[in-house]
Every structure is written in structure tokens, then in C-alpha cells.
Amino acid sequence: MALELKSSDNKIFEVEELVAVQSETIKSLVEDGCADNVIPLPNVDSKTLELVLDWCKNHVDMKLDEEKLKEYEDKFIEVDQAVLYDLLLAANYLNIKDLLNRACQKVADMLKGKTPEQIRETLNIVNDFSPEEEEEIRKENLWAFEE
Amino acid sequence: MSDYLPHEVERDILLSLPVKSLIRFRCVSKSCNSLITSSDFIDSHLTRSHSLPSNSSSNSNNTLIVRDLATKPNVEKYRLIHNDSFDRIEHLEFPLTTRRRSRIHNCTFIGYANGLFCLYEKKRFILSNPSIRKCIILPKHCIKIKTDGLVQCHSAFGFDPRTNDYKVVIIALPYNPYYMKKEPTLVEIYSLSEGSWKMIDASNSFPPNIRFDEYTCPAASLNGAIHFTVKVKLNYTELAVLSFDLRDEVFHLISLADITSRHGCINASVFRGLLSLICQRSTPSECCSIWVMKEYGVVDSWTEQFTFDLSGGYLSVIGLRKNGHVLMKNMERMLQKGPRVIEEGNIEPSYSLSLYDPESQQFKNLGSIGKTLQCVDNYTENLALLHKPNDAVSRKGVSRKRKCR
């Protein structure tokens, strides 16, 4: 059975149900009987949705071939930061566990060696510590700040 | 926290980070710090580490951690051996305590679970977490740990995944000859979550005719219970595995059926998530067998996994690695620098590690480990103890009398 998904920029994607239900969000809609018409996904643009659906389709196709799947996943996740964040948000919104885990791991790998200041810049976080408070944590854990 | 990522996504990203990065990121913001030091996050991070696939980049699947006996007081020394070729060894050193007048030295190794070490020295227990370079000294306990004509004491350390709690257990087993009044079997338990000790009378569940074996290895922690071998004294002496459930606080005795008659030295361990036995015997020849209990608690399910020859000069079997190899320690002689002369008194005993691969049936010498090693185990990164204050009892000059229930 085929489902119709509509991206935020009004593009319609026709997908096999088996592929689409990799998303727990869509799966619930199907189970509740709300998937007869086009399913609107206002939080995902067409570019990202296309990538996500590719992930889902390959996970159905390559289910039994672990090695091939791993190769696909490794290649899939090699995207630039902006696309990675879009994938992350889409995987979260659509509740696709394995894509979410993989994307989180990729972001974590990128953040691993950064300084707190670099993290704040990358994730757009405001530093609400006073200089003394920050220094206290640093002092107690000098080993974590060495390389 | 961040403006464009939802909180649960941020949390997932943080959960995928290694411990060193997380400690650094405590400085990012107040909410980041609260998140990383929360019990919930600490527990989830451990669960996540345990379930990582073996090809993950932040995985420490085959890393070994060695605890070394320190040469100066108040210092914890460890080595992380990242791979079998021994070419990536990380040295860790950090203070055991910040108390100025303390001189803690030469701790006894009590047990190890999920990257945490439990040590004992000068009548206090210490929990050490090398992942975050932190120790805590536990508050005073009541039971006087000693073994004499009246009582045998045994201590153990374990983790209960049902409550995500680490516990230290002291068992005081009285010697009860039939003509004397029966003394209770007391167990004192420390819970890391509670931060305190409590005493219970475990006489009801403690099996009869048990004596502790002074040569038994530190207890194995599995399924929320600690396990170690004990002697069962009936008409003859045989060995069995005694378990203590850390949540339900009851003892069980696991029979070893006829395994005990074939092997002189048996120790409980964990192998691929199953209760296992490391059995050694010297007749007809030196060999070691590994048995597993396929169905926990079912005596009939004890199954021999493999047996191998130990006569190549291996001193002892230390344990089982995550990848199924057997880790062994052997003595190697280190000659003095200079002319290679072996003289009486000039030989420094030193150790090396070897492994046995049951699949290929091959032995491999890993490398020299020196003479200071106290124990070796499989490493797991863990944030535990992060949110605990450093020293259990604070104000100096105030003596507190603890009431023992």
C-alpha cells in the first residue's frame, strides 16, 4: 500500500507503507486510521524528506545484509553540518530511532574535541556562568582540558 | 539550552559523547552542567555505553584497565591499555583524597563493576572512578572486619541494574559450634544512591555449613547480585557459589554439581552476560576450564565452554575479556641493566599479560605489565560519582558517634 507525504514546501512524496512506517510518528497515524489522505509534514522540507525516505527505503531493502547496510549508513551520514542538523530534526520529529541515533553519534563525533567556547558557538548556547564559576569547574577537572 | 535543537535531541547528542568531553562541556552553561551531573543522565550514559555496537568510534570494547599500586600515598594510578599490541597505553594519575593529613596507601582491592573500583584501607572503604579521575571515601561502617576463631568476614562490591545503584557489602559469618548460642549472620550494606550504610540480619537466607574461602577472588557482579565461591562443609568439603541479591538482600547458594570434584580452584566470573566459572586444576596436568550457567539459577544448565592447557608457565587466569578471550598473568624475569647476569637477589619479578583465544586455540603474549599491577579488568567509561561530594565525612574536630541499628 502506498502513502502520500507532503513536505513543508508542498512537495508530495509517494511511499510504500512498509518504508514510511520506519517513522514511529507515521506508524501511529496509520494505526489510528488517519493516513488515508495526504499526510502533511510541516516540519520537514522536501530536500530533507527525500534523504530521510532514502534512508528508510534502504533499511527495508538491506535489512538482512548487515555489512551492506553499515556501508550505506556510513556514506549517508557524511553530509555537511546544516544538512546533518536538518536530518537530526527530521529524525526526531518523525521518530526514526536508528537515523536519530546515527545522526546524534555523528554530531557527537564532531563536537568531541571542541572547547566549551566552540560548543557554545556551534549550538548557539549562551554562557550563563560567571567567570569564577566556570574557573571552579575547570580547576577541579584540569585533566579534561588537556589534550 | 540551545536555540535550535530540541532538548531531547541535545540530550541524545550528549549521551553519545565520551566522558572526557562531557566533563569539559560542564563549563558550557548552567543547564548543560545540571544535565550532565544529573543521576538520570549518568545512568543513561552507562546504559548507552554498554549497548554500543563494536564498530562504534567511541567504543572502548577491548580496552583493559590496570590498577597499579602507587608508590606515594594518596595517589591513584591506573593504565588504560587500548589495544592488544600494547602500543597505546594511557597513564592516569589523580589524588585519592584532598584531605591534607590523610595518608592512604596500599589499598586492598575489594571489587570492580562498570569501571568503578572498590578499595579498602585503614578501616575505610573507597570508591574510585578513573573515568572521571575521582574518589570518594565512604562513611565509617560498623562491622569490624576481621577473621578469627569467632567470625569470618568477607566484603564485596556490585552493581544492581534494576535500581542503578552500586553497593558495598560486608558479610560477618559467625562460627557457630552446636554447643554455643547461635549468633546471627550480619550483613552491612552501603548504597551509593542513599550515601549510607545499613545493617541487616541475614540469618534466614544464609545457607548452612558455609565457610568463606580465603583465596577466593573478588565477587562477580551480575543480574543485581554479587557472586563468589565458598566452601560447603558437610561430610566432605565442596565448593559452591554464594550469591547475595543487592536489592532483595537475600542469599542463595548455587550448586556446582560435579564440577567441584574435578577442579581444585574455582572462581566465579561473568562471561558474555552469563554467570561463569574459571576452574583450574593441576592434575593430571595444569589446565583451566571455563563453564557457564546457560540458564541463571538452573544447576543443570552448567555447561563447559572450553578447556585449555596452562602448563606454559602461566601464573594465573585473571578473567574473561568482552571478546571472549581469556586473560592471564605470567611472571617474567627482568634482568638488571648492564651485563646480563642473573645473580641471587638481583632479579626483579615482573609480570606480563597473555591471552588465550578459544576459537583459534592460540596463546598470545601481549606484553610486559611491570611489577606494580594490582588488578586488571575490562574497562567501561562511567560518569558515576560525578555528583557526589568528595569526602564523606567533613568537619574536622567533630567526632560523630554512629548508631548501628
Side-chain angles (χ1 to χ4, degrees):
Chain A
M1 208 195 97
L3 294 176
E4 285 184 321
L5 309 173
K6 185 164 84 171
S7 67
S8 60
D9 44 348
N10 291 322
K11 193 159 171 210
I12 308 252
F13 291 81
E14 198 177 294
V15 206
E16 283 281 318
E17 185 179 313
L18 201 58
V19 171
V21 295
Q22 304 261 317
S23 149
E24 291 288 331
T25 308
I26 296 178
K27 190 170 177 210
S28 311
L29 289 175
V30 172
E31 284 170 353
D32 291 344
C34 307
D36 292 338
N37 301 321
V38 177
I39 302 172
L41 302 173
N43 289 8
V44 190
D45 66 34
S46 57
K47 202 182 78 183
T48 310
L49 188 54
E50 193 172 337
L51 286 171
V52 171
L53 292 176
D54 189 69
W55 170 280
C56 294
K57 180 158 198 312
N58 278 290
H59 272 75
V60 170
D61 291 344
M62 295 183 209
K63 207 164 160 173
L64 300 170
D65 195 336
E66 254 185 63
E67 231 181 270
K68 209 168 164 209
L69 192 56
K70 180 177 178 324
E71 220 185 295
Y72 168 77
E73 285 187 2
D74 287 346
K75 215 166 143 222
F76 181 89
I77 212 75
E78 285 302 321
V79 290
D80 68 40
Q81 198 170 298
V83 177
L84 185 58
Y85 280 174
D86 287 337
L87 280 173
L88 198 50
L89 292 170
N92 183 49
Y93 172 67
L94 293 169
N95 201 348
I96 304 171
K97 266 246 125 59
D98 47 30
L99 178 57
L100 185 59
N101 283 342
R102 201 68 174 84
C104 281
Q105 189 62 62
K106 183 74 178 146
V107 174
D109 289 343
M110 281 166 38
L111 299 178
K112 208 152 55 173
K114 291 194 194 284
T115 65
E117 186 48 55
Q118 290 169 327
I119 296 291
R120 289 186 205 118
E121 258 180 60
T122 312
L123 296 180
N124 210 25
I125 301 174
V126 173
N127 181 9
D128 52 356
F129 274 128
S130 71
E132 294 82 36
E133 289 169 330
E134 192 180 329
E135 184 52 35
E136 172 119 30
I137 301 180
R138 249 174 226 269
K139 228 175 48 181
E140 270 179 30
N141 300 288
L142 285 174
W143 63 274
F145 292 87
E146 303 163 2
E147 208 20 73
Chain B
M1 235 171 87
S2 145
D3 276 355
Y4 37 64
L5 289 177
H7 181 81
E8 65 269 21
V9 173
E10 249 162 15
R11 188 172 181 273
D12 274 341
I13 294 172
L14 289 177
L15 281 175
S16 313
L17 284 168
V19 166
K20 189 172 179 177
S21 304
L22 286 169
I23 300 296
R24 211 164 44 229
F25 299 169
R26 285 181 60 193
C27 284
V28 168
S29 73
K30 285 187 180 169
S31 57
C32 213
N33 190 27
S34 315
L35 175 64
I36 293 171
T37 54
S38 69
S39 315
D40 185 59
F41 184 85
I42 293 173
D43 294 339
S44 303
H45 188 264
L46 179 69
T47 312
R48 179 70 84 91
S49 297
H50 274 173
S51 62
L52 280 175
S54 50
N55 53 11
S56 159
S57 57
S58 58
N59 187 38
S60 47
N61 220 0
N62 280 320
T63 304
L64 292 172
I65 183 159
V66 176
R67 181 171 186 272
D68 287 312
L69 292 168
T71 43
K72 7 173 196 165
N74 292 340
V75 166
E76 280 295 284
K77 279 181 80 172
Y78 296 88
R79 278 177 282 171
L80 287 178
I81 303 174
H82 289 288
N83 53 35
D84 285 356
S85 40
F86 269 42
D87 57 11
R88 202 157 74 91
I89 301 184
E90 215 181 312
H91 291 258
L92 307 182
E93 198 172 304
F94 55 98
L96 195 155
T97 172
T98 48
R99 288 193 216 171
R100 242 172 287 139
R101 272 191 257 123
S102 178
R103 287 184 70 79
I104 300 182
H105 201 190
N106 290 330
C107 299
T108 313
F109 171 58
I110 300 295
Y112 172 85
N114 295 338
L116 257 61
F117 288 82
C118 178
L119 313 163
Y120 180 72
E121 209 267 0
K122 288 194 188 333
K123 306 193 174 145
R124 298 291 283 270
F125 282 93
I126 298 156
L127 293 184
S128 172
N129 183 354
S131 297
I132 61 169
R133 319 287 198 266
K134 183 167 175 178
C135 290
I136 62 169
I137 300 176
L138 302 192
K140 288 201 175 119
H141 51 271
C142 289
I143 290 182
K144 241 196 176 119
I145 297 179
K146 58 177 174 170
T147 290
D148 57 25
L150 294 171
V151 72
Q152 269 193 318
C153 285
H154 192 83
S155 307
F157 175 65
F159 174 69
D160 182 8
R162 296 163 296 186
T163 54
N164 277 317
D165 195 10
Y166 295 87
K167 295 196 172 175
V168 182
V169 171
I170 309 169
I171 310 165
L173 174 61
Y175 173 57
N176 280 318
Y178 73 95
Y179 53 85
M180 284 175 70
K181 186 184 85 156
K182 199 162 193 294
E183 295 288 320
T185 302
L186 295 176
V187 182
E188 200 172 358
I189 306 162
Y190 177 83
S191 148
L192 185 63
S193 311
E194 306 277 308
S196 60
W197 292 93
K198 71 171 188 191
M199 187 86 82
I200 62 162
D201 179 341
S203 307
N204 283 340
S205 68
F206 198 87
N209 305 312
I210 301 289
R211 297 311 285 161
F212 292 144
D213 182 352
E214 66 222 70
Y215 297 112
T216 199
C217 288
S221 178
L222 178 71
N223 299 338
I226 47 126
H227 306 74
F228 57 99
T229 41
V230 293
K231 294 192 271 209
V232 183
K233 295 198 133 168
L234 297 165
N235 294 325
Y236 44 88
T237 300
E238 65 172 30
L239 298 173
V241 170
L242 183 66
S243 79
F244 180 71
D245 188 305
L246 297 172
R247 182 191 63 182
D248 305 333
E249 296 167 352
V250 289
F251 285 96
H252 292 282
L253 194 66
I254 301 173
S255 164
L256 301 184
D258 63 344
I259 304 173
T260 186
S261 60
R262 296 189 246 162
H263 300 273
C265 175
I266 304 182
N267 278 295
S269 183
V270 178
F271 185 56
R272 299 214 150 125
L274 296 174
L275 183 63
S276 82
L277 302 172
I278 300 174
C279 309
Q280 294 175 237
R281 65 168 181 267
S282 42
T283 59
S285 62
E286 297 243 18
C287 67
C288 173
S289 302
I290 305 295
W291 290 69
V292 298
M293 189 170 232
K294 295 227 147 142
E295 253 185 84
Y296 185 70
V298 176
V299 179
D300 284 343
S301 72
W302 278 120
T303 312
E304 185 169 359
Q305 292 291 107
F306 55 88
T307 298
F308 59 101
D309 181 27
L310 264 186
S311 53
Y314 302 104
L315 205 58
S316 57
V317 173
I318 298 176
L320 301 159
R321 300 183 70 181
K322 287 181 188 177
N323 59 6
H325 295 174
V326 184
L327 194 62
M328 293 165 294
K329 181 173 88 174
N330 21 302
M331 184 105 82
E332 65 172 26
R333 282 175 168 195
M334 259 179 66
L335 300 177
Q336 261 190 322
K337 285 190 192 150
R340 295 170 75 88
V341 177
I342 304 174
E343 277 173 31
E344 198 63 58
N346 279 339
I347 300 167
E348 284 201 317
S350 164
Y351 302 102
S352 66
L353 290 183
S354 306
L355 63 82
Y356 173 75
D357 178 355
E359 274 175 40
S360 65
Q361 295 181 17
Q362 299 280 328
F363 288 90
K364 182 177 172 197
N365 185 26
L366 294 178
S368 177
I369 201 89
K371 54 186 172 136
T372 56
L373 101 153
Q374 187 189 46
C375 52
V376 186
D377 214 313
N378 296 302
Y379 181 55
T380 302
E381 276 205 330
N382 196 341
L383 288 168
L385 306 188
L386 186 58
H387 53 316
K388 301 285 175 191
N390 279 322
D391 280 340
V393 174
S394 44
R395 305 170 317 229
K396 34 180 203 171
V398 176
S399 87
R400 295 182 186 198
K401 280 216 166 131
R402 277 201 70 242
K403 282 212 171 101
C404 299
R405 276 176 274 131

